[in-house]
Amino acid sequence: MFNKKCLALSLALILTLGVLFSFTGQAGAFFGWFSSSDDAEQGYVQVRGSDTMVNIGQALAEAFMEQSEHEISVTGGGSGTGVAALINNEVDIANVSRDMTDSEVEQAAANGVDVYRGVIAMDGLAVVVNENNPVQDLTFDEIGAIYRGEITNWAELGGPDMEISLYGRQSNSGTFVYFRENVLDGDYCDTKNQMNGNAQIVEGVRADRSAIGYVGIGYATEGGQERSGLGVVNVAVDSNSEYASPLVPENVATGAYPLARPLNNYFNGQPTGAVLEFIEFIVSEEGQNVAVEAGFYPVSPEFQSVNDELLN
Amino acid sequence: MKSSKISRKDEIAKIKEKMIELFFFANGVLAIVVLIGIFYLLLSEGLPTFREVSIKEFLTSTRWNPVSYSNPEYGIVGMIVSTLMVTFGSLILSVPLGIACAAYLAEVAKPKEREILKPIIEMLASIPSVVIGFLGIVMVGPMIARIFNLSNGLNAINGSILLGVMALPTIISISEDAISSVPEEYKQASLALGTNSWHTLIKVTLPAALSGITAAVMLGMGRAIGETMAVLMATGNAPAFPKSFFGSIRTLTATIAIELGEVPYNTTHYYSLFAVGAVLFVMTFMINLVSDIVLHKYGEGEN
């Protein structure tokens, strides 16, 4: 009886406090009691962000934890979520599959967060269609027109006469932003299905004969091959340049594949302690092998300089 | 001496009584304070939206694209219609099924059957909504696509089916209680007049239990309108104005869930999501109000 009363009382107290804090607009402070980002000192590293990078991040964390006492936890939610968490100093590392914008870096600085960047692997952002779709090659212009809603039928692209169904990500996704900046140069057509993650796009495209989608290369492949049910499109910048496939590692390493992009880690300040050990492991040969096993590609020479700058 | 002891004891008991009374009163007030707090928060964070977006645009425009490349737009009509579509779609599926199931459990099933069936049906309520959403993607969606010959099954029908399944346990459980509590005399009187049991069920038992059944439907509706994860996963979330039940839709809840995680604080986009929350709050409030009025009306009718 006494215990129940205690429980009820403390619940009431917590709720009242919650309301009070909400009133004063300090909800962050209230919830902040339950989490703290000072844990990195004790070897507990929190990584949050890109859905594209969750699998590779987890693979790297597991490999790292096998040989270290540090604990790494990797969660997804989208690059935007990771950036927001870094700005609010809630995480040690933000996984971001695009580049942080200037205004985001400024916001972080205003919060006392000094942003440093590292590159953990390369992605050849894959444009995928259903395996039954005969369309194999697309240019930037064509993909952009499809996603802007200007091309609505596969017949216009030499395919069968069926309406195109669009699959893409939600606005919290770095891939959503990267794709829009680099391919669309405009807004997504509002009939695009906004899926919750790469895996859902893959499932959607496999089940839908008229689908087109975009996912990180690690989600489009299985053991280096196209995942069954998917067709990975060869992409060219325009009709005069050559079509390149993201399935060929050289195309991503040299940048011949036009949607090759770095997968970024952003830190608050120069990495130290457990975070430093983790990033050193990632850029080591062993770490890069783990990245390749997860379906992505090693950091290309162009971006190794970013890591050299970070670690020296 | 003795009497003063008793009176002191009495006094202590009285104070104790008062304290307990006060405690329960405080609990009652707390619920109201929390409610007001939530509403205040929604309003105080939501209202700044209208410094930059006109209320007319917010409530009448069908285009929602706050992260637009060039021209952000804040119109929630499409999302309100989407929400209502899946909610009523789910009710069309779950109400007949739920009431039929409840009537079977209460009137037809043998006690042993009921003992097995009822807990199993209630277990349906404990399936996490992400799991149901996942089934929507990999199972219900492809099935709908095949049956209606569509390219994909991420549409309002999919969402309605999932929400219907989620509302079922609520509707069945509460309707069954309502039907069971109809006095035995009503049925016996009806049977004594020479009707069969089907007629008794339809004409006597169900109408007598109507207030409870209405409450069950309203609670099921509340569950459906506020559900986030399952519809978020299974309906495609295309922000276009819904054309039909066979098209992709995007509900109010899904919009908040998708966008709140990454939105920069204190921007119009951030405020607008709270305004969307306030609209959702008002919608559920109206449903509860209507169900309350209906309940009272039928309650009076019985006397």
Side-chain angles (χ1 to χ4, degrees):
Chain A
M1 182 63 206
F2 180 69
N3 277 334
K4 266 189 193 163
K5 222 188 240 175
C6 251
L7 197 72
L9 264 176
S10 40
L11 261 180
L13 198 72
I14 289 174
L15 277 175
T16 331
L17 273 176
V19 171
L20 276 179
F21 275 110
S22 312
F23 267 125
T24 48
Q26 296 289 312
F30 176 63
F31 295 114
W33 286 350
F34 300 112
S35 67
S36 137
S37 68
D38 299 334
D39 297 337
E41 302 300 319
Q42 282 106 52
Y44 178 69
V45 180
Q46 276 197 310
V47 188
R48 193 184 303 169
S50 171
D51 175 74
T52 310
M53 295 164 70
V54 166
N55 284 358
I56 178 178
Q58 243 150 22
L60 285 165
E62 274 163 29
F64 175 68
M65 282 190 287
E66 267 173 29
Q67 46 172 276
S68 153
E69 286 173 3
H70 302 307
E71 292 267 338
I72 317 270
S73 95
V74 183
T75 49
S79 298
T81 318
V83 170
L86 185 74
I87 291 175
N88 296 330
N89 198 15
E90 287 164 358
V91 291
D92 304 298
I93 303 176
N95 278 340
V96 187
S97 65
R98 56 179 165 88
D99 292 349
M100 262 176 88
T101 63
D102 291 342
S103 81
E104 282 166 348
V105 174
E106 276 164 29
Q107 275 180 46
N111 264 5
V113 172
D114 191 12
V115 175
Y116 280 74
R117 176 189 181 199
V119 176
I120 67 166
M122 300 298 290
D123 177 20
L125 180 59
V127 176
V128 291
V129 295
N130 189 273
E131 64 176 344
N132 295 317
N133 194 328
V135 176
Q136 292 290 323
D137 305 315
L138 291 172
T139 65
F140 263 31
D141 280 347
E142 287 166 340
I143 299 170
I146 291 172
Y147 272 97
R148 285 191 303 266
E150 292 155 17
I151 296 179
T152 57
N153 197 303
W154 282 111
E156 295 170 59
L157 299 162
D161 176 26
M162 53 186 178
E163 217 168 288
I164 301 174
S165 22
L166 303 173
Y167 289 79
R169 296 286 303 283
Q170 298 157 348
S171 59
N172 62 354
S173 152
T175 312
F176 173 103
V177 177
Y178 177 87
F179 204 71
R180 186 173 71 180
E181 309 284 304
N182 290 281
V183 186
L184 262 74
D185 266 334
D187 270 323
Y188 288 103
C189 164
D190 61 7
T191 56
K192 184 191 79 162
N193 286 325
Q194 300 196 350
M195 311 300 281
N196 215 2
N198 287 279
Q200 288 189 15
I201 294 183
V202 168
E203 288 301 326
V205 172
R206 283 170 73 173
D208 186 344
R209 297 174 68 95
S210 61
I212 186 167
Y214 53 83
V215 291
I217 185 68
Y219 290 84
T221 56
E222 219 161 23
Q225 298 293 314
E226 250 171 22
R227 189 178 281 249
S228 69
L230 287 185
V232 175
V233 173
N234 303 320
V235 180
V237 177
D238 52 48
S239 47
N240 295 326
S241 49
E242 256 178 73
Y243 290 99
S245 166
L247 297 169
V248 182
E250 292 76 43
N251 286 346
V252 174
T254 59
Y257 182 67
L259 288 170
R261 59 173 181 168
L263 296 177
N264 300 307
N265 268 357
Y266 284 99
F267 313 89
N268 175 14
Q270 195 124 27
T272 54
V275 178
L276 178 64
E277 282 177 46
F278 185 41
I279 185 73
E280 277 174 345
F281 168 78
I282 292 173
V283 299
S284 73
E285 203 183 323
E286 203 185 341
Q288 291 295 294
N289 284 337
V290 174
V292 171
E293 271 167 39
F296 291 88
Y297 299 116
V299 179
S300 68
E302 188 190 346
F303 292 100
Q304 251 149 23
S305 58
V306 176
N307 288 341
D308 292 341
E309 199 179 308
L310 176 81
L311 295 171
N312 290 317
Chain B
M1 184 73 189
K2 210 177 178 183
S3 71
S4 82
K5 210 175 194 178
I6 287 173
S7 76
R8 182 178 284 172
K9 234 184 190 172
D10 254 12
E11 230 157 69
I12 291 173
K14 239 186 219 163
I15 291 172
K16 214 173 152 191
E17 193 100 325
K18 259 265 157 65
M19 295 290 283
I20 291 171
E21 220 172 80
L22 209 72
F23 174 69
F24 283 110
F25 174 72
N27 279 321
V29 170
L30 184 75
I32 299 171
V33 168
V34 169
L35 181 73
I36 293 173
I38 290 172
F39 194 60
Y40 174 81
L41 181 78
L42 282 178
L43 280 187
S44 70
E45 298 286 284
L47 284 179
T49 315
F50 303 113
R51 285 200 292 246
E52 287 186 31
V53 185
S54 74
I55 293 190
K56 193 168 159 244
E57 184 200 336
F58 191 71
L59 292 177
T60 58
S61 162
T62 59
R63 295 185 57 86
W64 174 265
N65 191 1
V67 288
S68 165
Y69 211 54
S70 46
N71 177 30
E73 286 164 299
Y74 300 87
I76 63 167
V77 176
M79 300 186 308
I80 292 181
V81 172
S82 299
T83 300
L84 293 178
M85 271 168 78
V86 281
T87 307
F88 286 105
S90 74
L91 288 183
I92 288 171
L93 293 168
S94 60
V95 167
L97 208 65
I99 294 178
C101 185
Y104 170 78
L105 282 177
E107 297 293 311
V108 187
K110 298 188 190 84
K112 200 151 203 188
E113 289 174 340
R114 187 184 327 173
E115 254 168 53
I116 298 171
L117 281 177
K118 208 172 175 196
I120 292 178
I121 288 166
E122 272 159 12
M123 258 163 66
L124 202 58
S126 60
I127 300 175
S129 55
V130 241
V131 175
I132 292 191
F134 187 71
L135 289 180
I137 295 179
V138 300
M139 206 182 79
V140 182
M143 242 159 59
I144 293 171
R146 213 170 311 137
I147 292 170
F148 296 104
N149 200 17
L150 304 168
S151 69
N152 65 76
L154 298 170
N155 51 31
I157 292 193
N158 194 341
S160 300
I161 291 175
L162 299 183
L163 289 182
V165 169
M166 297 179 78
L168 262 183
T170 316
I171 294 180
I172 293 174
S173 188
I174 298 175
S175 305
E176 200 256 351
D177 288 342
I179 295 171
S180 299
S181 60
V182 171
E184 196 62 25
E185 290 84 359
Y186 286 28
K187 291 172 232 165
Q188 283 167 359
S190 163
L191 290 171
L193 288 171
T195 60
N196 55 23
S197 31
W198 167 251
H199 219 79
T200 306
L201 178 68
I202 296 298
K203 296 281 181 187
V204 177
T205 317
L206 286 186
L210 199 61
S211 64
I213 292 174
T214 313
V217 170
M218 287 295 178
L219 280 173
M221 192 169 165
R223 174 105 166 90
I225 211 169
E227 170 52 38
T228 310
M229 206 57 214
V231 283
L232 191 154
M233 291 170 79
T235 57
N237 301 316
F241 189 81
K243 286 189 194 73
S244 76
F245 268 95
F246 298 110
S248 171
I249 56 154
R250 178 179 185 145
T251 62
L252 294 163
T253 48
T255 302
I256 298 175
I258 291 168
E259 293 175 10
L260 197 58
E262 48 95 27
V263 65
Y265 285 164
N266 303 331
T267 56
T268 306
H269 185 191
Y270 174 81
Y271 295 134
S272 70
L273 291 178
F274 279 89
V276 170
V279 169
L280 193 62
F281 183 95
V282 169
M283 281 169 74
T284 21
F285 179 77
M286 300 279 259
I287 290 174
N288 284 338
L289 196 72
V290 169
S291 68
D292 222 44
I293 292 170
V294 169
L295 267 177
H296 271 280
K297 206 178 153 205
Y298 279 102
E300 276 163 21
E302 259 170 36
N303 294 333

